[in-house]
């Protein structure tokens, strides 16, 4: 997965002329803050240098994770054709770009972001977007959300930046502003999964129908030290590679997400929870099933078409 061409070009143009040594140093500092989940009252993307490091080294990965999550939502509710999007903690507008790619019906996006530095950069990138109506709002998600509803509401890589006490209020607020579907994406760490589980319980209590990744609304069958997460392969551009001082032209972004809807899902295929283990004539899938169980299923060539399907499915897919 890579950023769509107009966005890639806009990112390259925003990064042109930025001294590489500065980009490398800022990207390292930013990565440390994310890895340690620092909550010191200062925004991670507090100034232009951090905003530039974000679009160089994080945006391609969050885009890939968000795109995969929106695609899973779409797969479970194929009739959903959102026209309006509300994205909270929009950063450089990552969700807007991914959602516009998944749904050609999307025509309006409201993007709430409190950091002036990343908002300004996001506005610059969005100048090349196909969406006719994009409204950027300066607002704090802890206090400034209005009651207006939108077809699709999203919150990507934001819960981890909030104090625990602010998360519950925010999830209730997001749901009240959701006309059809809500998507929350978090880093694929055990802590990210725990935050998603808490949001899931809260949304189910509010009457939400879980679309993905879970094929049920029962208790999660995964127990620590295991945890539920997925992976998206991200193509690194030249500048992305240089900013990370990396050799390999790709990286794997681990993520976890939750898609919920006001409309129930009709079919609940199992979800593949880890990379399939393949050998000649056999494949083992770790599955989360509609009855609330998690199982390992061995399929062999003797099972014909089902075996062929199992060979084609990937981590995160439906079986
Ligand atoms: C890791 S970035 C994610 C950006 C984008 N959603 C993405 O996935 O690429 C988190 C964003 O949330 C914003 N944010 C954090 N706390 C916020 C708050 N209280 N109100 C509004 N935005 C906030 C940050 O400024 C930052 O841009």
């Amino acid at each position: 997965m890579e950023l769509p061409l107009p966005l890639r070009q806009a990112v390259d143009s925003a990064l042109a002329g930025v001294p590489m040594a500065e980009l490398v140093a800022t990207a390292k500092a930013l990565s440390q803050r994310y890895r340690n989940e620092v909550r010191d009252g200062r925004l991670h993307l507090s100034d232009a240098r951090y905003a530039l490091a974000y679009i160089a080294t994080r945006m391609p990965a969050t885009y890939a994770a968000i795109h995969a999550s929106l695609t899973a939502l779409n797969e479970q509710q194929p009739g959903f054709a959102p026209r309006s999007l509300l994205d909270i903690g929009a950063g450089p507008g990552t969700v807007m770009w991914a959602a516009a790619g998944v749904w050609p019906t999307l025509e309006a996006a409201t993007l709430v972001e409190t950091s002036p530095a990343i908002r300004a950069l996001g506005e610059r990138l969005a100048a090349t977007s196909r969406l006719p109506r994009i409204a950027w709002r300066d607002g704090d998600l802890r206090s400034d959300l209005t009651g207006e509803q939108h077809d699709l509401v999203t919150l990507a890589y934001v819960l981890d930046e909030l104090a625990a006490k602010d998360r519950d209020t925010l999830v209730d607020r997001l749901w009240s502003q959701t006309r059809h579907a809500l998507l929350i994406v978090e880093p694929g760490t055990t802590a990210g999964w725990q935050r998603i589980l808490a949001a899931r319980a809260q949304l189910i209590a509010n009457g939400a129908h879980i679309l993905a990744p879970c094929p049920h609304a029962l208790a999660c069958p995964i127990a620590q030290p295991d945890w539920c997460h997925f992976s998206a392969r991200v193509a690194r551009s030249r500048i992305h590679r240089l900013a990370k001082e990396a050799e390999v032209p790709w990286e794997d972004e681990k993520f976890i997400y939750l898609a919920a809807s006001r409309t129930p899902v009709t079919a609940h295929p199992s979800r593949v929870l880890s990379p399939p283990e393949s050998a000649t004539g056999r494949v083992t899938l770790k599955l989360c099933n509609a009855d609330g169980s998690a199982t390992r299923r061995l399929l062999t060539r003797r099972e014909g078409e089902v075996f062929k399907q199992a060979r084609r499915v990937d981590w995160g897919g439906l079986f």
Side-chain angles (χ1 to χ4, degrees):
M1 173 59 63
E2 58 185 342
L3 299 178
L5 185 61
L7 177 57
R8 221 156 61 224
Q9 288 171 337
V11 166
D12 283 351
S13 135
L15 294 170
V18 178
M20 190 46 71
E22 181 185 305
L23 201 55
V24 168
T26 318
K28 269 190 194 145
L30 184 61
S31 167
Q32 282 295 334
R33 287 184 68 85
Y34 283 134
R35 194 163 299 139
N36 298 330
E37 297 202 346
V38 174
R39 292 186 201 104
D40 56 3
R42 194 162 71 78
L43 289 170
H44 297 323
L45 307 179
S46 53
D47 65 30
R49 282 178 317 130
Y50 279 90
L52 288 166
Y54 189 86
I55 64 163
T57 60
R58 282 304 295 150
M59 190 185 193
T62 63
Y63 176 89
I66 293 162
H67 194 278
S69 308
L70 290 172
T71 302
L73 186 164
N74 191 33
E75 200 176 9
Q76 279 302 84
Q77 208 138 74
F80 178 47
R83 295 172 62 176
S84 66
L85 162 74
L86 172 66
D87 181 37
I88 308 295
T94 324
V95 171
M96 179 273 291
W97 282 95
V102 173
W103 289 286
T105 51
L106 196 67
E107 53 194 33
T110 304
L111 310 179
V112 180
E113 171 54 55
T114 199
S115 156
I118 193 71
R119 205 172 57 241
L121 195 49
E123 284 191 73
R124 177 175 168 183
L125 302 179
T128 60
S129 159
R130 68 152 188 86
L131 280 201
R133 297 205 311 276
I134 304 175
W136 288 84
R137 298 264 156 80
D138 170 15
D140 190 314
L141 52 82
R142 291 167 298 185
S143 50
D144 297 336
L145 296 186
T146 63
E148 202 185 327
Q149 281 201 327
H150 299 258
D151 293 347
L152 174 64
V153 175
T154 53
L155 182 83
Y157 290 87
V158 179
L159 280 183
D160 60 329
E161 297 194 11
L162 302 181
K165 66 177 170 52
D166 296 321
R167 289 185 208 132
D168 295 356
T169 323
L170 177 62
V171 169
D172 279 347
R173 200 67 221 246
L174 294 179
W175 184 241
S176 74
Q177 291 192 236
T178 301
R179 191 176 295 124
H180 294 296
L182 169 66
L183 175 77
I184 304 178
V185 186
E186 279 285 287
T189 56
T190 46
W193 172 57
Q194 289 296 326
R195 287 188 287 267
I196 287 286
L197 281 184
R200 178 180 184 269
Q202 207 177 326
L203 288 167
I204 291 170
N206 279 335
H209 301 280
I210 302 302
L211 295 182
C214 330
H216 59 82
L218 301 164
C220 176
I222 307 298
Q224 293 202 53
D226 194 7
W227 76 102
C228 184
H229 66 292
F230 304 97
S231 183
R233 181 144 293 190
V234 183
R236 286 175 171 150
S237 67
R238 183 178 162 275
I239 204 150
H240 183 176
R241 225 168 349 109
L242 292 174
K244 278 197 157 170
E245 297 182 311
E247 301 279 320
V248 190
W250 51 265
E251 65 190 29
D252 288 326
E253 172 70 6
K254 302 291 191 310
F255 66 101
I256 177 70
Y257 68 99
L258 183 74
S261 171
R262 294 203 179 269
T263 315
V265 191
T266 45
H268 293 281
S270 299
R271 178 81 55 189
V272 180
L273 292 185
S274 63
E277 293 161 26
S278 295
T280 311
R282 51 200 278 152
V283 56
T284 305
L285 299 179
K286 180 182 172 192
L287 299 168
C288 187
N289 307 303
D291 63 2
S293 65
T295 51
R296 287 175 67 78
R297 184 165 165 199
L298 171 68
L299 295 116
T300 62
R301 212 190 296 280
R302 275 202 297 276
E303 280 154 283
E305 189 48 40
V306 187
F307 172 69
K308 281 189 195 151
Q309 279 173 26
R311 290 298 290 236
R312 280 196 298 268
V313 77
D314 207 350
W315 183 8
L318 292 171
F319 181 70

